[in-house]
Amino acid sequence: MYGFTGKILRVNLTNQSTSTLNTADYEEWVGGHGIATAVFFDLMQDKLVSAFDPGNTLVLMSGLFAGTLVPGASRVEMVGIQSQSYPIEWFGRSSIGGHFPAMLKFAGFDGIVIEGAAENPTWIDIIDGNVEFKDAAGMWGLDTEETQRVIFSQVCGEINTRKQPNVKADNMTRWPCALVIGPAGENLSRIASVQHSAGPAFGQGGFGGVWGSKKLKAISVFGTGSVAVADPGKLLQETMRFRKKYGADFDNPTVSDWQEYITSHFGGHPGRGGAIFDNQRRAHGCYGCHMNCRPKTSIGIGTGAICKKGRFYQKFELAKRGRVTEISGKATKLCDRLGINAYVIDVDINYLNTLRQKGVLGPGKEIDTDLDFDQLGEAEFIGDYLHKIAHRKGIGAILAEGVARAAAKWGRLEEDLASGTLPLLPWGYPIHYDPRTEVYWGYASLVSSRDINCHDFNAISYWIPNLDVAAGKTPVVSAAQASEIIAEKCRPYNDPLMIDFGDDNMYSIHMARTTAWLLHYSLFWKQSCGLCDNAFADFINPYAPDNKGLTPDGEIAFFRAVTGKKMSFENSMEIGRKIFTLNRAIWALQGRHRDMEKFADYIYDIPSEGIVMVPGRSPSYFMPVRENGQWDYKNVVPRNLNRDRVEEWKSIFYELEGWDVNTGNPLKNTLEAMGLQSVINVLQKNDKL
Amino acid sequence: MTKRQNPKRNRAFAIEQIVPEAEGYLIVDPKKCTGCGSCMLACSLAHEGKVNPAFSRIQIISDPLGYFPTDIQMAVCKQCLYPQCLIVCPTEALHIDKEHMNVRGIDREKCIGCQKCMHACPFVPSRIFFDVNQKKAFKCDLCKAAPYRKKKSGQACVEICPVNAIKFSAKTPFPLGENGYTKNLRGDGWKQFGLPTD
C-alpha cells in the first residue's frame, strides 16, 4: 500500500498490551482523518462515553502524504471524544505538523489507536516497530519541554554529544519525535494541548486533558524505515515542478502582507510578524515543507509560534507597554510548556477583563479572583494566569474547564452570549473568523463539532481585500477575477457565486456549496491526505501565471505519484463527502439534532462592526460581492445574520449533503449510495434512521 | 619498520600524491537551512526509490528544542582533497570517479562492509553511511547514481531546497575546513522576510 507502512498500532493502556490493524483494511478511507474516523467507528462500540472515560478511544493517524516529499504534507490527525466542545463532548478532531507524522511511519506505523487508561503515569517508547510502555512517574509534573528533553536523553543516550540510538543503523543523525502533555493535561484541563517539539500542538479539542485522564504522558517515535511510493521519479519531478512554478522564490520574493498569514496559499512565506522581538531567528519548517512558516529564535522564546498563537499576548503588551517585546513570546512559550491551547487565551482574557470592568470580577467580587488586571500586558499577569489554569488554582480551576463552561457555572453564559460580551462560535469555541461576515466559516463550524479552522476561502474573502482594498492598494486579483478562479477550480460546483458575500447570498445554495466544498476538500485533501491548511487549497497565487494557484492540478498529480492511482478531483470530493457523512453519523449517535445547530444570539442580534485594518480609519470588512451584475470588493458591515434565513440555509445544506432536513441525520439512501451498510445498521439499531 | 617500508602507509602516501581534486562540491548555509529535511527525503528518493532519511547522503541534524543558529548542522560530504575514506578502503571500492567530477564514490560491488571508511571520515557525524541490511557503505556521489531522478544534471538536494541553502560549486572551497564549505547564501530576498543576513 503506497504511502503507508501497512500497520496501525493498537495500544491498550489498561493492560499494557499491543496489537496491530492492517492499514489496507481501511484503504477506502484514504488516510489521516478518514481512516482514524473509520477505525474509531469500528472500535468504539459505545459512542456516548465521556471524554475522560477510559472507554474513550483516541486514534492518531498520519496523512497519506506524510513522509513522502509531497510539499506541505507532514500532518497527523487525532480523533476521539473531545473534552473542549460545549455543551456536549462531540466526537472531534485536531492535527499537527512537525516531524512526528513522517517519523511515525519511519518507525513502522501509520497510526496509533489509544485505548483504555493506565493506572500510573506512562509513556510509550516506539523504536523501529518495537513498542514499550514505560514508567512516567518521574516525568509527571514536568512541562512539555522538560519532558521531551528527558525522553530525548533516554532514547538517544548522551544527548549533549548527539549520539544517536544504535538501531539498525549507526548513521542516524535525527532525533526522536515526541508527543507530550504538560501540567494542564495532567490536571484534566479541557483547554489542554498535546505538544510536539517547540510549537506544533494538538490545540483545539482538549485532547491534552484526555491524555491526562489516561495517565498518558508521552509517545515517542523513532525509526529508520522507509515509505514506498508508486512512482519515485514522478514524485520528484512533480514536487520540483509545482514548487518552482507556485512556491515562493526565497531569493526574489513577492512579499505580500496577506501571504504572511495562515490562510491557504501555496506561495506563502515566513511571516515577518513572528517573533519580531528577536532579529536573530531562522525560518523553520515541518518535514518536507516548502514554505517554512515557523520562526526558530536565538533565545527559544517564540520558537514555532505562528499566527494567533504567536501573537495572542501582543495586543495586551502593546496596550500596557507601548511596544512588543519578548514578553509576548514568553506568553506563548509558557502556553506550550504548560500544555495549554494558546488559541483560546486572548478571548478568555478579554472576557474576564470585561467582567472586571463591569464590576463583576475581581477580589471580593461575585467572581472572586486575585488576578491582577493592572498587570495585564506584563509577564507577571500572564504567568500567574496560565499557571492558575494549568494547576487549577483559584479561578484557574474553573477556567481550566474552558470559558463556556466557566460562564455557565457563573450563570452568565446566556446573557453574555446574547450581548456578544462572550463571542463564541458554535460548540463553545472562541470566535475566529466572524460568521456574520465570513458566513461559510460559521456554517462549517455549526454543522461540525469545532471551530472549523479551514482557510481555503479566507485569503480571498478576508486577507486580500482587507489588507489591500482597505489600505487603498490594488489587490493581486480583482473581485471578478477571483470569482472566475473560484468557478474554475471549485469542482464539481464551478459556481462563481460561491464567493459572493452580499447580504442575500448568505443564505443561498451558493453558500451551501461553499461550505460543502470547504468541508469535503478539507476532509479528503488536508485532513486525510495531510496537506497543510497553510498551503492548500491554492486559489490565488502571485507566483503563478494569471495568479491562478495549483488547485486542483497539484493535488491530483501528487496523489497519482504517491499511490499510482488515477483519481479525479470530483471523486476525491465525493470521498470527502463520505468521510463527512461518517462524522455526521457519529454525531447522530451522540444525540446531534438539527435543533441544536444554532449560533449564539449575538450572531443574530448584534451587527458585526468589522475590524480596524488601517489605524485611524473606521472599522470595515471588505469582501467580494456581486451587485447588479458587477463584482467588487465591498464593505459588508455592519451585518448580523437572520435567524429564519439561517434555518432556511440549513435545509438547503442538509438536502445538498443528503441528510434528513428535519433531524440533520444522514439519510438511508445517502448511506446506501456510499456503500456504508455497516453505518446504516448501527444507526438503525440506535433509532437514528 | 619505517614509513616507506609499511605497505599500507606507502599506499596512503601514494594516494595523497595522485588524488585529483573533485570538480564538484556542496556549499551550505546552516543559518539559512530551515530544517525541513526536504533534501534528505529527495536524496533517498532519488538514489533508493523510497523515502527514508536514513538513506540520505546529506544529513540535517536539527535539535527540535534548540536555539538559532546552533540548532542545525548540515552534514554534507566535503569531497576531501585528501580523502581518508579512500585511503583506508581495502578493496578500492572507494574511488575517484573520473567520469563524474572526480567525486569520491563507492563501488557497491567492491564494498565488503568493513566500515573503515566510516571511521576514517574526519567529520562528525561521518559523511559515509552504512546500509545495515545490504552491509554496504554509501555516500554522496553528487547524484551520479540517482536512477529515480529523471533530470540527469545537477543534484537533488540543491534542486529541492526551498530556500536555496545548498549550492553546487565546481570550485574547490577555500579554506578546506568547515569555513570553506559554509557560506552566507542569504541575500536581499532573505532580508525582506525580516530574517538575518549577517
Side-chain angles (χ1 to χ4, degrees):
Chain A
M1 191 178 174
Y2 291 118
F4 286 119
T5 69
K7 281 191 293 186
I8 299 168
L9 174 66
R10 191 175 175 185
V11 299
N12 188 315
L13 288 163
T14 306
N15 58 25
Q16 304 220 331
S17 64
T18 66
S19 57
T20 56
L21 301 171
N22 291 323
T23 311
D25 292 344
Y26 288 90
E27 193 172 7
E28 66 173 302
W29 297 99
V30 190
H33 182 83
I35 290 182
T37 305
V39 169
F40 175 92
F41 190 88
D42 287 352
L43 298 184
M44 183 97 168
Q45 297 301 314
D46 180 6
K47 295 170 181 69
L48 291 173
V49 301
S50 73
F52 296 148
D53 189 293
N56 185 9
T57 294
L58 300 180
V59 187
L60 278 158
M61 187 75 200
S62 283
L64 169 64
F65 293 157
T68 67
L69 191 69
V70 172
S74 184
R75 304 291 301 181
V76 60
E77 283 269 314
M78 178 154 53
V79 306
I81 305 296
Q82 57 167 316
S83 70
Q84 186 177 352
S85 64
Y86 177 86
I88 290 170
E89 296 167 329
W90 297 119
F91 170 76
R93 57 161 294 275
S94 191
S95 75
I96 58 156
H99 286 208
F100 185 94
M103 187 63 90
L104 177 59
K105 290 185 182 176
F106 300 145
F109 298 109
D110 302 316
I112 305 173
V113 182
I114 305 166
E115 296 173 294
E119 196 170 329
N120 299 304
T122 300
W123 70 283
I124 300 172
D125 187 7
I126 302 171
I127 300 177
D128 271 325
N130 297 312
V131 185
E132 282 186 54
F133 295 91
K134 292 192 170 172
D135 182 4
M139 297 176 187
W140 207 251
L142 297 186
D143 71 33
T144 61
E145 195 166 314
E146 292 165 337
T147 305
Q148 289 181 86
R149 286 285 180 205
V150 171
I151 287 171
F152 293 163
S153 71
Q154 288 198 21
V155 177
C156 295
E158 294 174 63
I159 200 159
N160 290 333
T161 54
R162 292 190 173 165
K163 283 185 181 171
Q164 301 296 324
N166 188 19
V167 286
K168 274 190 168 177
D170 58 4
N171 63 343
M172 293 312 304
T173 50
R174 294 167 299 136
W175 297 64
C177 293
L179 303 179
V180 300
I181 60 167
E186 294 172 10
N187 292 311
L188 311 192
S189 171
R190 293 176 187 273
I191 56 169
S193 60
V194 178
Q195 193 75 25
H196 164 44
S197 66
F202 293 97
Q204 305 281 43
F207 287 113
V210 179
W211 279 43
S213 74
K214 294 181 178 299
K215 292 266 195 308
L216 177 60
K217 180 67 175 174
I219 298 176
S220 168
V221 294
F222 185 86
T224 55
S226 301
V227 176
V229 297
D231 191 338
K234 194 76 179 167
L235 179 57
L236 264 171
Q237 191 180 40
E238 294 292 44
T239 301
M240 307 277 191
R241 181 166 75 90
F242 282 103
R243 275 187 173 192
K244 284 205 183 330
K245 189 170 175 185
Y246 297 95
D249 179 347
F250 283 77
D251 288 332
N252 188 23
T254 303
V255 180
S256 300
D257 290 344
W258 62 271
Q259 290 173 281
E260 301 194 46
Y261 295 89
I262 307 301
T263 184
S264 300
H265 43 65
F266 193 83
H269 54 64
R272 288 169 295 182
I276 53 174
F277 43 81
D278 186 355
N279 64 11
Q280 288 298 310
R281 62 187 192 273
R282 74 167 79 249
H284 186 53
C286 301
Y287 234 144
C289 187
H290 63 294
M291 290 167 62
N292 301 289
C293 62
R294 300 179 187 277
K296 203 170 181 189
T297 68
S298 67
I299 49 177
I301 295 165
T303 285
I306 50 171
C307 204
K308 187 175 170 185
K309 176 177 176 177
R311 304 175 188 211
F312 82 86
Y313 203 57
Q314 288 185 5
K315 65 185 170 195
F316 300 116
E317 194 191 0
L318 203 56
K320 176 73 176 175
R321 301 164 56 88
R323 64 201 171 100
V324 173
T325 71
E326 69 273 16
I327 287 174
S328 294
K330 280 183 180 172
T332 302
K333 184 80 168 175
L334 195 53
C335 281
D336 281 351
R337 294 190 73 145
L338 294 172
I340 294 174
N341 174 8
Y343 190 83
V344 306
I345 300 299
D346 72 325
V347 169
D348 293 9
I349 291 176
N350 273 334
Y351 176 56
L352 298 186
N353 200 23
T354 305
L355 295 182
R356 180 187 73 108
Q357 287 160 353
K358 286 182 174 179
V360 175
L361 180 145
K365 303 283 186 185
E366 187 182 329
I367 302 170
D368 187 18
T369 178
D370 61 356
L371 275 175
D372 185 0
F373 277 87
D374 290 338
Q375 294 295 312
L376 180 57
E378 300 284 1
E380 289 79 3
F381 176 87
I382 194 66
D384 186 30
Y385 182 85
L386 294 175
H387 276 286
K388 276 185 162 69
I389 291 175
H391 298 286
R392 287 186 175 265
K393 297 233 171 103
I395 195 172
I398 185 64
L399 291 175
E401 292 290 298
V403 71
R405 285 179 172 81
K409 182 164 172 117
W410 295 329
R412 302 198 54 88
L413 184 63
E414 203 173 327
E415 175 188 340
D416 291 343
L417 284 178
S419 65
T421 302
L422 179 55
L424 296 182
L425 284 170
W427 318 121
Y429 278 83
I431 193 155
H432 195 158
Y433 290 95
D434 195 329
R436 293 167 291 188
T437 47
E438 286 190 66
V439 66
Y440 68 87
W441 192 288
Y443 286 152
S445 303
L446 189 67
V447 298
S448 300
S449 67
R450 53 163 286 180
D451 168 8
I452 201 64
N453 204 29
C454 297
H455 293 74
D456 310 71
F457 296 100
N458 179 239
I460 194 56
S461 63
Y462 179 75
W463 289 106
I464 293 175
N466 286 289
L467 284 172
D468 287 346
V469 178
K473 295 180 191 169
T474 304
V476 62
V477 290
S478 68
Q481 287 171 316
S483 71
E484 287 165 13
I485 291 172
I486 293 297
E488 180 184 320
K489 293 187 175 297
C490 289
R491 302 180 204 154
Y493 303 122
N494 299 105
D495 176 1
L497 296 179
M498 283 169 64
I499 57 161
D500 173 8
F501 289 93
D503 289 350
D504 277 344
N505 207 42
M506 296 293 91
Y507 315 99
S508 68
I509 180 67
H510 311 292
M511 207 47 69
R513 288 174 183 153
T514 313
T515 308
W517 196 96
L518 174 133
L519 287 164
H520 301 166
Y521 176 88
S522 297
L523 282 162
F524 184 93
W525 289 107
K526 293 197 275 201
Q527 291 145 20
S528 296
C529 290
L531 294 178
C532 177
D533 180 59
N534 196 10
F536 297 89
D538 188 36
F539 294 137
I540 315 292
N541 188 315
Y543 294 98
D546 304 325
N547 297 313
K548 291 179 182 176
L550 60 73
T551 295
D553 299 343
E555 292 92 326
I556 293 293
F558 295 139
F559 188 90
R560 186 157 187 195
V562 170
T563 66
K565 293 176 186 167
K566 281 187 182 175
M567 166 76 75
S568 72
F569 189 73
E570 287 79 357
N571 192 25
S572 75
M573 296 297 277
E574 193 53 31
I575 296 172
R577 178 171 164 250
K578 179 171 143 182
I579 296 168
F580 189 43
T581 303
L582 184 61
N583 274 264
R584 195 74 189 179
I586 296 171
W587 295 323
L589 291 166
Q590 287 187 285
R592 180 76 70 94
H593 189 276
R594 171 187 178 127
D595 294 344
M596 296 173 176
E597 296 186 336
K598 294 187 191 312
F599 290 112
D601 283 344
Y602 79 96
I603 297 288
Y604 303 114
D605 300 328
I606 312 286
S608 167
E609 292 176 357
I611 295 168
V612 177
M613 297 299 284
V614 181
R617 297 229 186 130
S618 302
S620 61
Y621 210 112
F622 285 87
M623 305 187 84
V625 171
R626 187 170 182 267
E627 214 169 64
N628 302 322
Q630 299 295 311
W631 282 94
D632 203 355
Y633 294 113
K634 297 207 172 220
N635 183 15
V636 300
V637 293
R639 183 160 78 193
N640 47 305
L641 296 186
N642 179 291
R643 266 190 190 78
D644 294 337
R645 297 196 70 185
V646 168
E647 291 303 310
E648 288 170 19
W649 179 88
K650 280 162 59 181
S651 296
I652 294 169
F653 182 76
Y654 293 176
E655 206 165 328
L656 183 67
E657 289 295 288
W659 304 344
D660 185 329
V661 292
N662 296 311
T663 65
N665 293 344
L667 288 166
K668 188 180 177 190
N669 61 6
T670 302
L671 295 162
E672 279 172 345
M674 292 172 172
L676 298 177
Q677 189 57 46
S678 60
V679 178
I680 291 173
N681 296 342
V682 174
L683 289 177
Q684 280 179 332
K685 194 174 156 193
N686 289 276
D687 296 326
K688 298 295 181 185
L689 273 185
Chain B
M1 197 184 289
T2 64
K3 190 178 173 184
R4 280 187 172 280
Q5 289 169 320
N6 182 331
K8 269 192 179 173
R9 296 297 294 267
N10 278 348
R11 181 168 177 266
F13 180 76
I15 286 171
E16 283 178 16
Q17 300 306 305
I18 60 168
V19 166
E21 287 183 31
E23 292 165 359
Y25 301 87
L26 295 178
I27 307 298
V28 297
D29 183 351
K31 285 187 175 178
K32 199 179 189 189
C33 175
T34 67
C36 72
S38 296
C39 53
M40 292 196 287
L41 303 179
C43 179
S44 62
L45 197 56
H47 286 85
E48 310 286 343
K50 57 192 175 187
V51 187
N52 186 341
F55 281 96
S56 172
R57 280 73 174 153
I58 178 172
Q59 290 289 322
I60 306 300
I61 304 142
S62 175
D63 177 352
L65 302 173
Y67 301 163
F68 175 83
T70 55
D71 56 326
I72 284 183
Q73 182 189 359
M74 301 176 79
V76 296
C77 175
K78 298 182 186 307
Q79 309 298 343
C80 295
L81 200 55
Y82 303 108
Q84 301 301 309
C85 54
L86 191 144
I87 291 165
V88 300
C89 180
T91 64
E92 297 185 352
L94 249 148
H95 64 284
I96 304 298
D97 189 337
K98 291 182 179 166
E99 293 174 357
H100 193 67
M101 298 180 277
N102 288 336
V103 71
R104 284 70 175 123
I106 295 178
D107 183 337
R108 288 184 76 132
E109 295 296 313
K110 291 183 181 174
C111 178
I112 57 171
C114 68
Q115 303 184 44
K116 284 184 177 177
C117 52
M118 290 175 63
H119 298 300
C121 176
F123 300 102
V124 179
S126 167
R127 307 306 148 91
I128 301 186
F129 309 103
F130 193 64
D131 180 339
V132 289
N133 297 317
Q134 302 292 319
K135 303 277 187 270
K136 304 280 183 189
F138 61 93
K139 71 178 288 295
C140 174
D141 59 359
L142 296 176
C143 280
K144 163 86 183 287
Y148 297 94
R149 192 163 169 266
K150 296 188 186 219
K151 191 172 168 185
K152 294 304 168 198
S153 61
Q155 290 74 38
C157 58
V158 174
E159 198 178 2
I160 200 73
C161 180
V163 297
N164 303 323
I166 311 168
K167 191 180 155 191
F168 174 81
S169 171
K171 272 177 62 178
T172 306
F174 182 82
L176 288 176
E178 201 67 52
N179 287 347
Y181 293 81
T182 301
K183 299 281 187 196
N184 183 348
L185 302 177
R186 288 152 287 144
D188 286 345
W190 201 244
K191 205 172 189 174
Q192 287 188 57
F193 299 123
L195 297 167
T197 53
D198 54 347

